[in-house]
Amino acid sequence: MKYISEFREAGHVQKILDAIHRITNHDWRIMEICGGQTHAILKYGLQELLPEKITLLHGPGCPVCVTPLVMIEKAIRLASRPEVTFCSFGDMLRVPGKDRDLLSVKAEGRDIRMVYSPMDAVQIARDNPGREVVFFAIGFETTAPAVAMAVHQAKESRMTNFSMLVAHVLVPPAIKAILSSKQSKIDGFLAAGHVCTVMGVQEYNPIAKKYQIPIIVTGFEPLDLVQGVYLCIRQLEEGRAEVENQYLRSVRIEGNLPAREWMQKVFRVVDRQWRGIGTIPNSGLGLNDAYLIFDAEHKFHLSGEEVAEPEICISGQILQGLQKPDACPAFGKACTPESPLGATMVSSEGACAAYYKYRRSHAG
Amino acid sequence: MCLAIPGKIIEIKEADPVNRKGKVQFGGVVREVHLGYVPDAKIGDYVNVHVGFALSVIDPDEAAETLRLWNEIAEKEEEHRHK
Ligand code: SF4
């Protein structure tokens, strides 16, 4: 397929890997932000092909993984109501709450539907005026424009049976939180290409400057990823700390302006709790006052109930680049993708799930 | 989850700009895609699509430039090896 196959060409990738081997003189730790990148790195075994001096750390960029348990519990409570048709992206259905997941609520006969787009949920509400349709809105800046348009259309058509449980998060505050931590040992970042397709690259300049760290906006194909690593290592070896854009074919400096405008119309910036990390100030999006009637927490008067994470799980440290999945005693034993204990095992983009899928088979 | 897939626009239904929609082909699969966020996209353009929304028009010149630049690095590697 055009714009995919040429960026997967093994010969191209190998040449860049050779170049990386040649220019790497020091030990460097690079974090890729996005779970999609983590998945691709494990799938293509890129860590093994890089010089030993380079360690790839896996960041918090998997929305399914960072949605806190208290939100999952709210989703389960909403989905259990007989009048509710609950719509969600597929990945969220298997995330365990306190004692069950959304799929088991569905098995009990409740109306829970997997949707591909937030627009599908609006359509379901239109087709079923007698039902309360709730969409579980999770995601980063990449997904927020779609959610903004969906809620706007619901408002335009004066729908009264549609609402959203909003758990949207933002990337730059998470990067800052990770870098501000005293334990952080990260030398460079690969920023998420599709988040930047929407938001542009400008908000990363002050971060690169303040923390003296290179940030490379990077795509998702193997050639993109090794190029991102190459640019990052080149900066590190030369003592530079700048924002560079590897993903030129999709990312414009200013991002996607119409999408950003719509996000601003619909959302406001709020504090958000990140699973495994805690509350990060100004790190999420919630509906603003003009759209408050579409906020499911408001509509159904949901209150939060703290749910403790399993003690053994170190996913919080993994999401901050302090540990790798195989350091967890439960990894592959008590905790597997079929019965996940923690955040990073639940989604195929979580670091633990990606290690489980690809690393175990490497080990035989 | 932030994956966006490149596909080719094969049909555009003009509506008001906000609700612009079209058909986008991904390999053998055709899907209806919201095009309101790519107001300049034309039939034949490739767009990156995420949860039913086109988020950017893929710039063919920049894509070619990325590949060309990397060929250059690769050639330098070759030269280096033969030194
Ligand atoms: S393997 Fe399971 S329990 Fe261990 S850190 Fe990963 S998600 Fe948590």
Side-chain angles (χ1 to χ4, degrees):
Chain A
M1 260 156 71
K2 198 169 178 193
Y3 297 121
I4 294 186
S5 41
E6 62 267 50
F7 293 93
R8 286 188 185 163
E9 223 260 282
H12 285 173
V13 174
Q14 188 54 49
K15 285 275 162 62
I16 306 307
L17 284 166
D18 292 347
I20 294 172
H21 276 268
R22 190 168 58 77
I23 64 170
T24 307
N25 294 315
H26 301 87
D27 288 323
W28 301 114
R29 299 160 68 88
I30 300 174
M31 175 179 271
E32 83 277 357
I33 293 292
C34 174
Q37 294 171 332
T38 303
H39 188 98
I41 285 166
L42 269 297
K43 178 172 174 188
Y44 294 101
L46 296 179
Q47 170 75 73
E48 286 72 25
L49 301 172
L50 289 169
E52 263 177 40
K53 287 180 182 300
I54 300 176
T55 308
L56 295 179
L57 300 167
H58 316 303
C62 158
V64 177
C65 304
V66 300
T67 301
L69 270 174
V70 46
M71 264 301 172
I72 311 280
E73 275 301 310
K74 284 180 186 171
I76 289 172
R77 259 186 288 152
L78 270 176
S80 307
R81 294 168 79 122
E83 77 276 25
V84 166
T85 293
F86 194 84
C87 302
S88 165
F89 296 129
D91 275 11
M92 286 313 275
L93 300 183
R94 293 183 42 253
V95 181
K98 203 166 46 184
D99 42 30
R100 56 195 180 145
D101 58 17
L102 285 164
L103 266 189
S104 44
V105 179
K106 186 177 162 75
E108 285 160 20
R110 294 303 177 208
D111 189 4
I112 299 181
R113 306 199 192 172
M114 200 176 107
V115 292
Y116 160 72
S117 167
M119 287 304 207
D120 299 343
V122 175
Q123 191 58 44
I124 291 170
R126 207 172 270 137
D127 296 341
N128 298 276
R131 305 282 302 164
E132 273 296 338
V133 176
V134 182
F135 174 66
F136 198 175
I138 64 151
F140 283 97
E141 291 92 326
T142 318
T143 316
V147 173
M149 192 54 71
V151 75
H152 173 73
Q153 294 220 338
K155 190 177 182 204
E156 284 284 280
S157 356
R158 299 174 198 281
M159 287 182 154
T160 53
N161 68 327
F162 178 76
S163 60
M164 289 181 167
L165 180 62
V166 183
H168 263 269
V169 278
L170 299 168
V171 167
I175 295 188
K176 281 187 245 176
I178 289 172
L179 285 172
S180 309
S181 140
K182 278 200 190 68
Q183 302 144 287
S184 155
K185 289 184 223 126
I186 296 159
D187 301 305
F189 274 104
L190 305 186
H194 291 138
V195 165
C196 295
T197 295
V198 172
M199 299 304 287
V201 301
Q202 281 143 336
E203 45 185 345
Y204 295 91
N205 290 321
I207 302 178
K209 202 163 174 199
K210 179 170 178 195
Y211 298 96
Q212 279 302 301
I213 194 161
I215 301 177
I216 318 293
V217 176
T218 304
F220 297 80
E221 297 301 335
L223 184 61
D224 294 320
L225 289 160
V226 291
Q227 285 181 10
V229 172
Y230 174 87
L231 293 171
C232 193
I233 296 292
R234 196 170 69 179
Q235 281 203 36
L236 288 166
E237 292 286 349
E238 291 172 4
R240 289 183 293 131
E242 294 156 18
V243 177
E244 255 181 291
N245 182 6
Q246 180 278 328
Y247 200 34
L248 289 164
R249 64 188 182 280
S250 179
V251 176
R252 318 282 119 83
I253 289 174
E254 70 287 357
N256 182 322
L257 290 176
R260 289 175 65 183
E261 257 167 51
W262 275 97
M263 282 167 68
Q264 256 170 15
K265 250 181 236 175
V266 170
F267 294 117
R268 65 195 161 95
V269 173
V270 297
D271 296 349
R272 276 247 179 264
Q273 188 188 340
W274 293 57
R275 191 168 180 180
I277 298 179
T279 299
I280 306 177
N282 301 321
S283 67
L285 295 174
L287 295 173
N288 66 25
D289 288 345
Y291 294 87
L292 202 59
I293 49 164
F294 296 100
D295 187 329
E297 291 186 75
H298 182 81
K299 188 173 193 176
F300 296 95
H301 308 288
L302 295 178
S303 57
E305 179 197 337
E306 268 320 310
V307 191
E309 294 282 346
E311 241 167 64
I312 194 166
C313 179
I314 58 165
S315 63
Q317 293 183 39
I318 294 172
L319 290 167
Q320 298 174 71
L322 302 171
Q323 286 288 0
K324 293 251 191 180
D326 31 24
C328 172
F331 176 78
K333 298 186 188 98
C335 181
T336 63
E338 289 71 44
S339 63
L341 286 179
T344 39
M345 191 62 98
V346 292
S347 153
S348 65
E349 296 186 357
C352 292
Y355 270 60
Y356 186 85
K357 178 155 187 208
Y358 297 112
R359 270 287 172 82
R360 276 170 28 112
S361 52
H362 287 185
Chain B
M1 219 203 87
C2 289
L3 208 60
I5 314 273
K8 184 180 179 177
I9 302 179
I10 55 172
E11 190 184 315
I12 296 179
K13 286 180 228 147
E14 290 301 343
D16 63 299
V18 172
N19 290 319
R20 202 165 168 252
K21 289 198 185 93
K23 293 215 164 103
V24 175
Q25 186 173 21
F26 307 89
V29 185
V30 175
R31 265 187 185 277
E32 185 173 70
V33 167
H34 193 280
L35 299 173
Y37 292 139
V38 287
D40 302 328
K42 310 176 297 296
I43 289 177
D45 283 348
Y46 279 78
V47 282
N48 261 329
V49 177
H50 171 72
V51 298
F53 284 70
L55 294 179
S56 63
V57 177
I58 298 178
D59 185 330
D61 298 336
E62 293 288 15
E65 180 64 14
T66 307
L67 290 171
R68 194 193 61 75
L69 252 174
W70 290 97
N71 275 330
E72 213 175 277
I73 292 181
E75 270 163 33
K76 258 195 222 138
E77 275 316 292
E78 271 310 297
E79 280 168 32
H80 198 82
R81 193 167 299 170
H82 294 299
K83 261 187 205 158

